[in-house]
Every structure is written in structure tokens, then in C-alpha cells.
């Protein structure tokens, strides 16, 4: 009679171990920071408090997603590549193109001849010093319909790198557009 309770204790112990061990292992992996969750976005997420209102600038295209770029004083090849990719990314959005607007911020010393040279029509807006500080390293920034700056794509050198960046921007924009319907 004594042998039967020992078996049930052993079975109970194995059953308890089967449920507790995975939970303890998961807790250990997470607490030792051994697990790094995957991110599917290609661009860098920006601070949630960064928006047009905080930068004291009017939203140039309210109720639309925006791909924003600050035109520098001298638009060299890197700048021209960024403008080209910005336009091509907008075209590549296809049916979602009406929900997104490329916007170029201009300062008094911006090289507007570059826009004329490329023969691309962009929506333009005047930039203030606060937004110029955000765009100090010439990134392309995605802005949501409420005016929050969401994601940044740093400036890259070379046409191939710019095209790769454009593809990444399209992928991220499509995900955000899908989630914001």
C-alpha cells in the first residue's frame, strides 16, 4: 500500500516540473536580457513628443501622411538622390499614394533651383529654426496625419544606398498605412 502513494507523488512532481520549468526558463532568459525582440521597421523611431505643434510649425498637409525633407542651402548629389528617391517612393506606393504627400521644407537659403532642375513638383512649406535642428543631418522623416514625427531615415551616400533606403521607407509606410485605416 505504501508504494502507490510514492508513484503518485513522483507523477505529481514530474507534472509540476513540466509546467514550472518552462516558465522559470522564460523568466531567466528575459531577466538576463538574453532575448532581443525583433523589430520589423527599417527606420529609426522618433520620440513620441516630437510633433509639429512642439516644433511651433503649422502642419503643411493635415490629415495626410507625409514624407518630409529639408532642402539644404546647396543641393549636391546626395540631396538630389534623396529628392529622387522621395518622389519615386511616393509613386511606388500605388493606390495608397493619395494618403501620402511628399513635403519639402524650405529655409530662406535653400537651393530651390535643385527642385526646378529635377522637374519634380513637391509640396513645399517654410521651415523654422526648430525644425531645421531636427533635420540637421538631412534625414527623411515620416509624419503621421496628426503631425507627429514618427520615423527617421538618415541620409545615405550613393544612389544604390538611396534606392535601398527608399525601399525600406516604402515597406514601413505600407505597414503604417495598413494599420491606420
Amino acid at each position: 500500500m505504501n508504494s502507490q502513494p510514492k508513484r503518485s507523488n513522483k507523477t505529481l512532481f514530474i507534472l509540476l516540473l513540466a509546467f514550472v520549468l518552462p516558465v522559470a526558463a522564460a523568466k531567466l532568459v528575459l531577466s538576463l536580457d538574453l532575448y532581443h525582440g525583433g523589430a520589423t521597421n527599417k527606420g529609426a523611431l522618433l520620440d513620441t513628443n516630437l510633433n509639429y505643434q512642439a516644433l511651433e510649425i503649422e502642419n503643411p498637409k493635415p490629415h495626410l501622411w507625409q514624407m518630409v525633407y529639408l532642402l539644404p542651402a546647396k543641393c549636391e548629389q546626395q540631396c538630389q538622390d534623396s529628392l529622387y528617391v522621395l518622389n519615386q517612393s511616393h509613386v511606388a506606393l500605388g493606390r495608397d499614394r493619395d494618403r501620402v504627400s511628399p513635403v519639402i521644407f524650405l529655409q530662406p537659403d535653400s537651393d530651390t533651383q535643385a527642385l526646378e532642375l529635377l522637374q519634380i513638383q513637391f509640396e513645399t512649406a517654410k521651415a523654422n529654426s526648430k525644425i531645421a535642428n531636427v533635420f540637421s543631418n538631412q534625414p527623411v522623416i515620416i509624419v503621421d496625419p496628426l503631425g507627429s514625427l514618427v520615423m527617421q531615415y538618415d541620409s545615405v551616400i550613393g544612389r544604390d544606398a538611396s534606392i535601398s533606403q527608399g525601399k525600406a521607407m516604402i515597406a514601413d509606410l505600407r505597414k503604417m498605412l495598413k494599420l491606420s485605416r
Side-chain angles (χ1 to χ4, degrees):
M1 290 183 133
N2 290 340
S3 64
Q4 198 172 21
K6 287 182 183 178
R7 284 186 190 161
S8 65
N9 285 342
K10 186 177 179 181
T11 306
L12 180 65
F13 180 71
I14 290 172
L15 188 63
L16 186 64
L17 192 63
F19 286 103
V20 173
L21 189 62
V23 173
K27 174 67 176 159
L28 183 66
V29 166
L30 290 174
S31 64
L32 293 176
D33 205 21
L34 298 174
Y35 175 75
H36 302 289
T40 60
N41 57 301
K42 313 280 193 291
L45 292 171
L46 296 173
D47 184 20
T48 57
N49 297 327
L50 196 58
N51 57 38
Y52 283 140
Q53 187 176 8
L55 296 171
E56 298 174 2
I57 197 162
E58 188 176 328
N59 190 342
K61 285 292 207 175
H63 311 296
L64 287 178
W65 286 86
Q66 300 161 38
M67 297 183 293
V68 183
Y69 184 73
L70 177 70
L71 193 65
K74 185 161 173 60
C75 188
E76 295 175 352
Q77 189 62 43
Q78 181 180 0
C79 166
Q80 291 174 9
D81 288 345
S82 293
L83 291 172
Y84 175 77
V85 167
L86 196 65
N87 182 57
Q88 294 298 67
S89 298
H90 184 248
V91 171
L93 286 171
R95 64 182 177 161
D96 289 326
R97 184 178 11 195
D98 296 337
R99 297 177 60 197
V100 180
S101 175
V103 177
I104 306 298
F105 277 110
L106 302 174
Q107 293 179 307
D109 64 341
S110 289
D111 186 6
T112 55
Q113 289 180 348
L115 293 176
E116 296 167 10
L117 181 68
L118 291 172
Q119 298 177 348
I120 302 172
Q121 294 297 321
F122 286 112
E123 181 75 27
T124 59
K126 290 188 178 184
N128 62 17
S129 61
K130 288 185 178 183
I131 201 140
N133 288 338
V134 173
F135 285 90
S136 61
N137 60 349
Q138 291 188 317
V140 175
I141 294 181
I142 304 294
V143 181
D144 73 5
L146 300 175
S148 296
L149 283 68
V150 178
M151 198 169 287
Q152 173 177 321
Y153 300 86
D154 289 327
S155 183
V156 292
I157 298 172
R159 186 153 223 149
D160 291 339
S162 294
I163 291 170
S164 295
Q165 185 183 52
K167 289 178 182 178
M169 189 167 40
I170 291 167
D172 287 343
L173 257 172
R174 283 195 172 131
K175 287 176 197 168
M176 289 186 280
L177 289 169
K178 182 179 177 183
L179 292 172
S180 72
R181 289 185 186 197

